[in-house]
Amino acid sequence: MEKTEIQRLKKSLQYLESKQREFKKQQDNDTRSIESIIKYLKKDMIQQFNLTDYDSLIKQQIKDTDVFIVHVKYMIESIFSNSI
């Protein structure tokens, strides 16, 4: 993955993290729209950055957003660190 793609992945991850925090704060309110955004973001990140090429188990982790975020951070730090 090229350096610019890694930077875009990091930005996407930051946005996903912000939406996850917003979702957690809004537990009492209607959170369907935030949930939809989060679901779309995770799927889009997997497709746009071909994350399954680097880890075939990433699709299994898509259900739990917190685990997904941690795993993508780990991928950036371990797999893509040489490209940064």
Side-chain angles (χ1 to χ4, degrees):
M1 190 177 293
E2 293 182 24
K3 187 175 182 176
T4 55
E5 287 181 300
I6 295 168
Q7 294 301 322
R8 286 185 23 240
L9 176 59
K10 285 182 177 181
K11 293 285 184 189
S12 297
L13 182 61
Q14 288 172 347
Y15 185 68
L16 176 60
E17 288 176 305
S18 72
K19 288 298 170 190
Q20 181 69 357
R21 284 190 300 272
E22 185 179 338
F23 173 72
K24 287 180 178 179
K25 287 179 186 175
Q26 302 269 331
Q27 287 294 345
D28 297 334
N29 300 332
D30 185 14
T31 57
R32 287 179 290 190
S33 63
I34 297 173
E35 281 181 302
S36 296
I37 291 170
I38 289 171
K39 185 177 180 180
Y40 171 79
L41 280 169
K42 291 186 290 188
K43 286 183 179 183
D44 185 58
M45 287 171 69
I46 287 174
Q47 291 175 343
Q48 185 176 4
F49 300 105
N50 298 315
L51 296 181
T52 54
D53 290 352
Y54 303 99
D55 186 346
S56 59
L57 301 177
I58 192 81
K59 282 192 175 183
Q60 294 172 350
Q61 296 168 344
I62 202 168
K63 293 177 185 171
D64 185 337
T65 303
D66 291 325
V67 171
F68 182 83
I69 289 170
V70 168
H71 195 77
V72 173
K73 281 183 176 181
Y74 174 77
M75 290 173 71
I76 291 170
E77 292 171 3
S78 63
I79 298 172
F80 308 128
S81 64
N82 295 333
S83 303
I84 300 175

